[in-house]
Amino acid sequence: RMVPYYATLLFAGPRPSEGMRIEPAHIGASQIRLGVTKTRGRCRRVVTISDNLREWLKVGGPDAWPIDRWKLKYDRAKIIKALPFKLAPDVLRHSFITYHVARFQNVAATALEAGNTEQVIFDHYYEMVEKEVADEFWALAPPPALKKSLARCA
């Protein structure tokens, strides 16, 4: 059930607290709408659903939202404790922004989707990875084996 949540953080870039507040009504065919009470800066924001995110969202099915916040915190704590390295805060969001600006080469569009200023994008994310690497990132999709195993659980 948590796959769509983490995929949304990685491929749509909401902050983890924003991701926990996403409800089924916020997810459209091509966009995720983060409302006034759903974002840190209290600004309405619309994030485009990329082709690969659309595939990841199918993995969880309709029961993936809303997120069980307590289960998420418990599972996340277990995962982080088991990792042999330290995760930076908001690492999935930072990855989204880095790969978005590298692939689309549009600082203004990236800033708008991320809820940041263009200056923040330039200062922290611009030219961090090559476009070819970003293209590979945006091609990441659920492996067929994952789709099959989850279909058996449904």
Side-chain angles (χ1 to χ4, degrees):
R1 278 189 59 158
M2 302 313 291
V3 169
Y5 167 78
Y6 285 109
T8 299
L9 294 186
L10 186 59
F11 297 115
R15 293 167 182 88
S17 61
E18 295 168 345
M20 282 193 275
R21 293 185 189 107
I22 293 173
E23 298 173 9
H26 301 149
I27 303 172
S30 62
Q31 299 175 328
I32 298 174
R33 294 188 178 279
L34 301 173
V36 171
T37 61
K38 308 294 180 213
T39 61
R40 187 176 87 181
R42 302 284 186 221
C43 295
R44 188 169 39 97
R45 194 162 91 231
V46 175
V47 181
T48 304
I49 296 176
S50 60
D51 291 339
N52 66 333
L53 176 55
R54 188 171 290 107
E55 292 302 310
W56 285 103
L57 290 174
K58 290 177 188 174
V59 169
D63 295 333
W65 305 97
I67 297 300
D68 179 338
R69 293 182 186 142
W70 294 110
K71 180 166 176 32
L72 172 67
K73 287 179 181 185
Y74 175 76
D75 289 348
R76 186 172 185 271
K78 278 184 11 183
I79 292 167
I80 289 172
K81 187 176 180 180
L83 292 175
F85 52 86
K86 186 177 178 188
L87 273 182
D90 290 347
V91 67
L92 300 179
R93 174 177 165 75
H94 295 307
S95 297
F96 162 78
I97 298 170
T98 300
Y99 290 112
H100 191 280
V101 74
R103 180 168 194 213
F104 300 107
Q105 297 292 303
N106 188 330
V107 172
T110 301
L112 188 62
E113 290 213 12
N116 280 329
T117 64
E118 291 180 39
Q119 190 62 51
V120 168
I121 303 301
F122 273 117
D123 290 349
H124 299 283
Y125 304 102
Y126 190 67
E127 295 184 337
M128 296 298 285
V129 297
E130 295 179 2
K131 186 177 185 321
E132 295 77 20
V133 176
D135 289 340
E136 291 177 23
F137 171 84
W138 290 103
L140 293 172
L146 177 63
K147 291 180 184 178
K148 279 184 182 178
S149 68
L150 290 171
R152 283 193 301 263
C153 295

